[in-house]
Amino acid sequence: MSRRPVDYLLENPRARRASGWFGASKNREISFERIVTAGFALALVGLAAISLVAFRSIEKLANEAGQVKQTQEALTRLSALLSTMTDAETGQRGFTITGDERFLEPYRTALTNYAIELRELRRLTADNPARQRQLDALAPLLEARLATSTMMIDLRRTQGFEAARRETATASGKEAQDEIRRRVAEMFATEEGLLRQREAQTAVAARASQTVIIGGSGLAIAVVALALLRLRHDIAARWRVEIQLRKLNEELSVARDRAEAADRLKSAFLATMSHELRTPLNSIIGFTGIILRGLAGPLNAEQRKQLGMVQGSARHLLALINDVLDISKIEAGELKVIIAPFDARAVIGRVVDALRPMAEAKRLALRAEVAPEIGEMVSDVRRVEQILLNLLNNAVKFTERGEVTLRAAVEDGRLRVSVADTGIGIEPQDVEDIFRPFQQVDAGLTRAHEGTGLGLAISRRLAGLLRGEIHAASEWGKGSTFTVTLPLRAAEGKKDADAIRSVQGP
Ligand code: ADP
């Protein structure tokens, strides 16, 4: 899957910071989330508090309203009690005058009802001892008044109208009734006072509930509105960043397309160059070879020397072109390895044979110690040979006396080839540098050894492509050992092959 340039920015905080556009993005995210969460949490807590206060207020309101109702009921009962007593007295008088039993109906009702009314009044005033005391004082008066009525009725029945009239004239009954009225009026006044007080309290409680509910809801709405406003602001900011991000993405895509186009141009240029340069160079090398072998006629010593120099330079140029091509392809990820089985022993033999004339010319002992288990290997034969050739070529090239030894063995399913020489060696600080392109220890104009400075860089990258590695150990002035390890089976299955192809050199 192709990766967008913006993915890189999103995954790399450093690159994001460098781009400048997303520097504040993380902080913004934090504040954005915090503000939204805090806003809603605050609103929630506020609403919970409001609900609690509102619940309490309404409870109080209901309580006050209940008490008002209770007082109103007490007032009704008091009126009912007073009219019961008045009706009873009127009825008793009617009977006294007429002797008609029908007048006694209210009296009989009063006899049963006054106690009920008194009980109800006691219940309704149970929370107030002063009112209870008023009732306590009223109860015997009522009883006494009813007892007087009973006595008067009996008198009328047994001794007739005159006796009853005389008794009435004592006016004790009237005084008792007036006392009852006075007490009830007192109680009425108390209850009415209480009613006014309770109604006022209810009104206060209602106003408090109203204030709490309206104020609290308003506050919660304000907090939520503020959080939403901030949210809107942040969303707008995010949109702006998103737009910038898209713009940057487009710019990066354009830049990438341009770079890819330039890369394709470079590859095409290199391919053309390689063809255009290699063809004439091969001709030069081939024809100078023919002339040098005397096939075109005899040559004198000077001509031979000059032509030899031409051929040497042409060979050097061809090697350089090939190396530059190789490294460019590897760097561009275009160099594909071809994995197939081959005889590793034969490859090692070929490499040693190729370098033997050069070693002999320098009077160096060239030894090869190849372990017997070395046989078939599955890798890229051409690239394995190229690596070994380069290491052995360097060993011979940088050794003036002594010997060069190639040792090959199998270790943990890997081919391990070390090339040791008794040559000039490498200083410790240069050991890793020589694997970088164009790095030569002796790079001056007067250097004694030929070379492009690309051999080791290419070899290490090729080894990487084949899932292997190369290391160097050396002692300045005493010699060096280069060791390459490569898996005997470089690729098993398509997946591994792909992995190998995608590996690039360090
Ligand atoms: P080249 O040999 O073409 O210069 P290489 O990449 O093969 O390029 O080697 C880079 C440098 O590493 C050489 O120029 C040399 O200085 C050093 N080098 C490589 N092999 C040896 C060796 N066996 N002994 C001493 N120096 C070496």
Side-chain angles (χ1 to χ4, degrees), residues 345-423:
R345 179 176 288 275
V347 170
I348 295 167
R350 272 206 303 276
V351 170
V352 175
D353 288 348
L355 268 303
R356 199 169 292 285
M358 190 173 154
E360 278 169 5
K362 293 178 85 175
R363 298 177 190 284
L364 298 175
L366 178 60
R367 275 205 295 272
E369 297 170 12
V370 183
E373 68 266 25
I374 290 176
E376 195 195 71
M377 181 172 176
V378 182
S379 195
D380 185 326
V381 62
R382 198 178 135 221
R383 300 304 176 183
V384 172
E385 195 168 329
Q386 187 178 350
I387 295 167
L388 296 181
L389 210 57
N390 181 250
L391 296 185
L392 205 61
N393 182 48
N394 277 351
V396 176
K397 186 163 73 177
F398 295 105
T399 306
E400 294 313 318
R401 70 182 74 83
E403 58 189 49
V404 172
T405 311
L406 180 146
R407 291 185 185 87
V410 173
E411 267 180 31
D412 301 329
R414 291 166 86 84
L415 173 72
R416 185 176 195 276
V417 180
S418 66
V419 179
D421 64 56
T422 55

